[in-house]
Amino acid sequence: MLLRRLASTSAWTLPPTIRQVLSSSGTDQVQLCGWIKSVRRQKNVTFAVISDGSCPTGLQAVLSNTVSSQLKGLTNGASVRVSGLLVNSRGTGQAKELQVDSIDVLGECDPETYPIQKQTLSVDYLRDHAHLRARTDTNASILRLRDSLTKVLQQFYERHDFCYVHTPILTSSDCEGAGETFRVMPSSIVPSHAPVNSDSSDVPSSEFFSKPAYLTVSSQLHLEALASSLSRVYTLSPCFRAERSQTNRHLAEFWMLEAEWTWTREVNDLCQLVEACLKDALILGIDEEERRVLAKGVPDYEQRLRCLEDAASSKPWARLTYTEAISELEKYATSTGPKASTFEFQPVWGRALQSEHERWLSEVLVKGPVFVTDYPSSLKPFYMRMNDDGRSVACFDLLVPYVGELVGGSLREERFDALRSRMSALGMDTEGEEYRWYLDLRRFGSVPHGGFGLGFERLVSWVSGVENVRECIAMPRWARRMLL
């Protein structure tokens, strides 16, 4: 208690950021640091916009041309420390400006060779300069949006008494069972003949953990173990999939918000939880200043914004079973005339929904977010609870306009015999070390429970309108591409 009181009375603070200075009232003598975003020289004065990344607008600094020493080295990209009087701006375009008393160039930037020039830079060019692209307005805004969404989601789960936990990055199993994992070995070891799914007796001694290890594809199984003690848990952590897809929705390294919740028996409970947390994200996750930055260059942004505003309203999101979804897709697929189907893949019951199907359901049929529930068991992983019909599982995918699948979740199979039978039918070793611990969760005090995973980059894409998830993360990695 004493330490808490001492911490709360600590007088030490960091110097103010530009965002904090701009949000203050009145005029003050301030000292700030940042990078020059632009320089405009006139006859008597020079205007320099300085940004420290804390807000989208930056601060206009006004320098007198009579002190030539102050103007030396003021170029786009240079870092500076500036002191002066913060006043109400006499010009248009900004509420306040800084009347500069002194300015020091801390880091020079050659305008002839600086890669981040004032003209429009292509997406591919910025990907090639990923170490510098955060200095552009759009990419900086995306990073602030990630921060804002993280805070909103954390506040939501704290409010509902979920415990934030850290789960392993290194695992011994493939949670999804798709085989799209990255195998981990010491850098001093050259992989030889070891098969990816070999038994421990066949694994060479070069294995660091004495058996194959992988980068995690999902935290779900470990979250289930922790939920069996803490009841409500969640995490936001990196995941890795060795998927060679080149679509705008896939990355090799991405972030997932995953949650597990005990004592729930209904898929609709999970859907309501997801809907509530995402409505918080839509309402609180982005402000108007950031929207104005992100709107530049996004096709049909106003239409996207209306869609987001409608999704954030109090109106409940739609629900469809997989069977109902297939029925609607089949009707459209067989339609003729001006509204004839443009599907590349025909919808068939028992087959996975393709991206074009997901977007049609959300963008055309529902015109908003839609939960698709009760998929055939053959399409989903082993851990999902079987429905009474014996052919579908108690699960959902949340489909949203312009993105497709955003969230996937299910009730987990809590019945020991049912889970073991399902695993055996899929050829999984129920007696081996890899999954014995998972079955133990059903042996000892099993409870009804469920959970879900939310693709964080896809959420950023949906909220921002930036279509490709490679622009929704600081340092994107995908097949044949990892520059730094």
Side-chain angles (χ1 to χ4, degrees), residues 224-256:
E224 286 190 62
L226 302 179
S228 69
S229 168
L230 300 174
S231 296
R232 301 178 186 181
V233 295
Y234 80 104
T235 191
L236 177 60
S237 59
C239 297
F240 308 84
R241 296 190 184 178
E243 186 175 284
R244 297 188 180 277
S245 174
Q246 295 290 319
T247 74
N248 62 7
R249 302 192 309 159
H250 292 94
L251 291 164
E253 178 186 29
F254 56 99
W255 288 72
M256 288 271 283

Side-chain angles (χ1 to χ4, degrees), residues 59-229:
L59 174 64
Q60 177 170 277
V62 183
L63 302 97
S64 172
N65 288 350
T66 59
V67 186
S68 58
S69 60
Q70 289 190 342
L71 306 181
K72 185 178 180 181
L74 297 187
T75 60
N76 183 25
S79 64
V80 296
R81 179 175 57 240
V82 59
S83 300
L85 183 65
L86 187 70
V87 299
N88 294 325
S89 179
R90 289 177 291 182
T92 60
Q94 62 281 323
K96 296 182 178 182
E97 63 187 21
L98 187 67
Q99 298 288 344
V100 175
D101 295 329
S102 66
I103 186 168
D104 298 309
V105 176
L106 305 179
E108 295 182 351
C109 185
D110 183 353
E112 299 299 321
T113 59
Y114 184 42
I116 308 301
Q117 297 291 329
K118 289 290 292 181
Q119 71 265 27
T120 301
L121 303 172
S122 71
V123 168
D124 287 333
Y125 177 87
L126 289 173
R127 288 174 185 168
D128 289 339
H129 296 82
H131 58 299
L132 294 173
R133 73 174 187 168
R135 299 190 186 187
T136 66
D137 291 343
T138 298
N139 286 92
S141 185
I142 285 289
L143 296 179
R144 288 190 295 269
L145 175 59
R146 288 180 68 98
D147 172 65
S148 177
L149 289 172
T150 298
K151 291 173 181 174
V152 169
L153 293 171
Q154 286 175 337
Q155 289 166 3
F156 175 89
Y157 286 101
E158 287 174 6
R159 193 164 68 246
H160 290 83
D161 215 16
F162 278 72
C163 181
Y164 180 76
V165 296
H166 300 112
T167 50
I169 299 299
L170 296 176
T171 70
S172 60
S173 61
D174 175 4
C175 173
E176 298 296 324
E180 297 166 342
T181 56
F182 287 102
R183 189 171 176 181
V184 178
M185 297 186 75
S187 59
S188 59
I189 303 298
V190 178
S192 55
H193 62 279
V196 171
N197 294 317
S198 61
D199 295 330
S200 59
S201 59
D202 298 325
V203 177
S205 59
S206 60
E207 292 286 357
F208 185 86
F209 297 101
S210 300
K211 61 181 178 181
Y214 311 94
L215 294 178
T216 184
V217 298
S218 169
S219 298
Q220 181 213 311
L221 302 188
H222 295 101
L223 284 176
E224 286 190 62
L226 302 179
S228 69
S229 168

